[in-house]
Amino acid sequence: MQKTVSIVKIGGALLEEEALLEAVCQGFSAMGGAKILVHGGGQQASRVSQALGITPKMVDGRRITDADSLKVVVMVYGGLANKTLVARLQALGCNALGLSGADAGLIRARKRPPGNLDYGFVGDVEHVAADTLTTLLDAGLVPVFSALTHDGRGQLLNTNADTVAAEIAVALGRERRARLYYCFDKPGVLRQVTDPESTIPLLDQRLFRELLERGEIAAGMIPKLTNAFHALERGVSEVYIGPPTLLEGVSGPFTKISL
Amino acid sequence: MQKTVSIVKIGGALLEEEALLEAVCQGFSAMGGAKILVHGGGQQASRVSQALGITPKMVDGRRITDADSLKVVVMVYGGLANKTLVARLQALGCNALGLSGADAGLIRARKRPPGNLDYGFVGDVEHVAADTLTTLLDAGLVPVFSALTHDGRGQLLNTNADTVAAEIAVALGRERRARLYYCFDKPGVLRQVTDPESTIPLLDQRLFRELLERGEIAAGMIPKLTNAFHALERGVSEVYIGPPTLLEGVSGPFTKISL
């Protein structure tokens, strides 16, 4: 039987509230098999930025990462959010190992060239070292990634956490059955963003196009869904979007993404 | 032949100046054999604390770590200092893996019980997972430790970096020939703190006692030397104190510590 691996990305809002964070840590710890956690930390980073007098710059939900903002995200994602999660998971018996993409050269990215907009120190993933990651998984370790990468020439870069999770799933999906979970504080992809009862159980590309045409997909969901379809096209076996209960395998509401 | 491992602790001042940091990274990258880097980052943490309006509290050169200060050291040691070092080492071809003591459950500590002084979230090392560390070393990885530990129940703790380095050396020294290097911005242990020509080439316990009696050892050096002798007594093969050039094996001034 082919080995499996679960890649779980948790949205920043889940890190903000104690009950949600506890649910995520419990659910993730209980998952069987090889697994990887990927987290953001944007809201925390924005608060630390403001406390330091650095005004966060956002365009279309993406952070413009100047040199000072990069320091903040390295402190918050790579330090505070990552190590806090690792310590909590360790307490639950999950052998978490906190990582950035620079560690063990795991995720190399290219600084995004300035086009209409200069994103600053933002990296687009070029290479995931699947062999090193496999060595860590085979040693029984549970990688916990902050969404930081490096260019291999000494520069750290900020990378979208959804993309980091998808790229890891694609890289490991070449040798294993990879399941990708996008976990957040909603029950799944909603037809009506204000109605939690409107979760779409199965979302394929055709329905996605229809909903897009009718303007029925929240703008913030579009990059996540694009990442999800792209991952499936590149060999990831399954993609799910839903709340932390998704990790416990319970029959709650969630959205399964399909080509 | 018995395997060797080098444990290099770099003092915070080396992280502050570009030329010194570059010398450390070059020297450390060039070292042969299994190796581990341990770093502090106290000066950087104090600056971030002040920028956040948190006044760092120090008693006898040791940080009093309240809840807010712990967040700062986790951000700065575990995030900014650690990931910056890792990215630089990776650029030099050194397969650095940034770690805290919580990661992979590597260093478990006990929160220091309040006595005359409550140090706050400060941990005294109880256990180093030498087997996991050996797995990482055998995979060709180069652990880079920030001086953070955890209590195994979800609490991160701040631990003196000299002590972290000594405890790692002792734990690995049971199976390997462990060499411990305390690297800082001075040529070694000095007879006269203002005279860089006064480096003591070989310092044994008898000379240490004599110098202590004559008041010829700088107060700040005493805990470092106590750590050094303690490490030798517990099986570490060699301990050196000196500047970054020490790592290049050149015949510069440095202090060798001996029982």
Side-chain angles (χ1 to χ4, degrees):
Chain A
M1 213 185 81
Q2 203 189 7
K3 280 188 180 177
T4 64
V5 61
S6 302
I7 297 94
V8 177
K9 187 265 172 169
I10 55 170
L14 297 180
L15 301 172
E16 294 293 312
E17 206 178 300
E18 176 54 30
L20 288 174
L21 180 58
E22 185 57 25
V24 165
C25 288
Q26 292 275 2
F28 182 73
S29 294
M31 287 177 94
K35 56 192 173 184
I36 294 173
L37 191 67
V38 180
H39 65 86
Q43 298 184 33
Q44 214 167 10
S46 296
R47 278 200 306 277
V48 172
S49 277
Q50 272 156 348
L52 289 169
I54 301 163
T55 308
K57 296 175 206 75
M58 310 290 289
V59 175
D60 296 337
R62 296 201 173 218
R63 188 177 296 273
I64 304 296
T65 312
D66 61 13
D68 281 340
S69 300
L70 181 70
K71 280 187 186 175
V72 172
V73 297
V74 173
M75 289 198 292
V76 174
Y77 300 176
L80 191 57
N82 190 261
K83 300 314 168 195
T84 303
L85 270 168
V86 165
R88 286 184 85 119
L89 291 169
Q90 284 286 338
L92 294 167
C94 171
N95 202 4
L97 172 69
L99 296 165
S100 73
D103 295 301
L106 284 165
I107 312 178
R108 199 184 63 236
R110 179 166 168 258
K111 185 170 181 293
R112 189 173 301 165
N116 293 334
L117 191 63
D118 184 354
Y119 284 96
F121 294 101
V122 163
D124 295 311
V125 175
E126 282 190 326
H127 183 256
V128 175
D131 49 347
T132 307
L133 211 38
T134 298
T135 302
L136 298 175
L137 293 171
D138 288 348
L141 295 166
V142 179
V144 175
F145 276 94
S146 62
L148 301 168
T149 57
H150 76 141
D151 70 356
R153 297 191 304 276
Q155 181 63 57
L156 291 164
L157 295 166
N158 184 17
T159 297
N160 178 272
D162 286 352
T163 308
V164 166
E167 292 289 341
I168 290 170
V170 167
L172 293 176
R174 294 187 190 109
E175 301 289 333
R176 295 178 183 229
R177 225 184 131 68
R179 296 192 188 107
L180 176 60
Y181 299 83
Y182 285 130
C183 253
F184 63 169
D185 57 348
K186 297 201 168 52
V189 183
L190 305 175
R191 276 182 185 266
Q192 304 295 337
V193 74
T194 52
D195 177 12
E197 303 289 308
S198 69
T199 306
I200 302 166
L202 184 69
L203 179 59
D204 62 15
Q205 284 179 303
R206 198 171 121 176
L207 177 57
F208 180 48
R209 274 192 300 270
E210 280 177 30
L211 294 172
L212 268 184
E213 279 165 23
R214 296 210 298 267
E216 285 183 14
I217 290 275
M221 281 303 295
I222 297 171
K224 198 183 289 288
L225 287 168
T226 307
N227 263 315
F229 287 120
H230 199 46
L232 289 169
E233 282 162 358
R234 294 194 295 156
V236 171
S237 300
E238 296 161 52
V239 181
Y240 300 93
I241 300 182
T245 49
L246 184 56
L247 305 180
E248 293 159 28
V250 298
S251 62
F254 61 80
T255 301
K256 180 170 185 180
I257 312 296
S258 163
L259 287 180
Chain B
M1 212 186 82
Q2 204 189 9
K3 280 187 178 177
T4 64
V5 60
S6 302
I7 296 94
V8 177
K9 187 264 173 171
I10 55 171
L14 297 180
L15 301 172
E16 293 293 313
E17 207 179 299
E18 175 54 32
L20 289 173
L21 180 57
E22 185 57 25
V24 165
C25 289
Q26 292 275 0
F28 181 73
S29 294
M31 287 177 95
K35 57 192 173 183
I36 293 173
L37 192 67
V38 180
H39 64 86
Q43 298 184 33
Q44 214 168 10
S46 296
R47 279 200 306 277
V48 171
S49 277
Q50 273 155 346
L52 288 169
I54 303 162
T55 309
K57 299 174 206 70
M58 311 288 291
V59 175
D60 296 337
R62 296 202 175 217
R63 186 178 298 273
I64 304 297
T65 312
D66 61 15
D68 281 340
S69 299
L70 181 69
K71 281 189 187 175
V72 172
V73 298
V74 173
M75 289 199 291
V76 174
Y77 300 176
L80 191 57
N82 191 262
K83 299 313 168 196
T84 302
L85 270 167
V86 165
R88 287 185 83 119
L89 291 169
Q90 283 285 340
L92 294 167
C94 171
N95 202 5
L97 173 70
L99 297 164
S100 74
D103 296 300
L106 285 163
I107 312 177
R108 198 185 62 235
R110 178 166 169 258
K111 186 171 182 292
R112 189 175 301 166
N116 293 334
L117 190 63
D118 184 354
Y119 285 96
F121 294 100
V122 163
D124 295 312
V125 175
E126 282 190 326
H127 182 255
V128 175
D131 49 347
T132 307
L133 211 38
T134 298
T135 302
L136 298 175
L137 292 171
D138 288 348
L141 295 167
V142 179
V144 175
F145 276 94
S146 61
L148 300 168
T149 56
H150 75 141
D151 69 358
R153 297 192 305 275
Q155 182 63 56
L156 291 164
L157 295 166
N158 184 17
T159 298
N160 178 273
D162 285 353
T163 308
V164 166
E167 292 289 341
I168 291 171
V170 168
L172 293 177
R174 293 186 191 112
E175 300 289 334
R176 298 179 181 226
R177 223 184 134 67
R179 296 192 187 108
L180 175 60
Y181 298 82
Y182 284 131
C183 252
F184 63 168
D185 57 347
K186 297 201 169 52
V189 183
L190 306 175
R191 275 181 186 268
Q192 305 295 336
V193 73
T194 53
D195 177 11
E197 303 290 308
S198 68
T199 307
I200 301 165
L202 185 68
L203 178 59
D204 62 15
Q205 286 179 300
R206 195 170 124 179
L207 178 56
F208 180 48
R209 275 192 300 271
E210 281 178 30
L211 294 172
L212 270 183
E213 279 166 22
R214 295 210 299 267
E216 285 183 15
I217 291 274
M221 282 303 295
I222 297 170
K224 198 183 290 289
L225 287 168
T226 307
N227 263 315
F229 287 119
H230 198 47
L232 288 169
E233 281 162 357
R234 293 193 294 155
V236 171
S237 300
E238 297 161 50
V239 182
Y240 301 94
I241 300 182
T245 49
L246 182 57
L247 305 180
E248 294 158 27
V250 297
S251 62
F254 60 80
T255 301
K256 180 170 183 177
I257 312 297
S258 163
L259 287 180

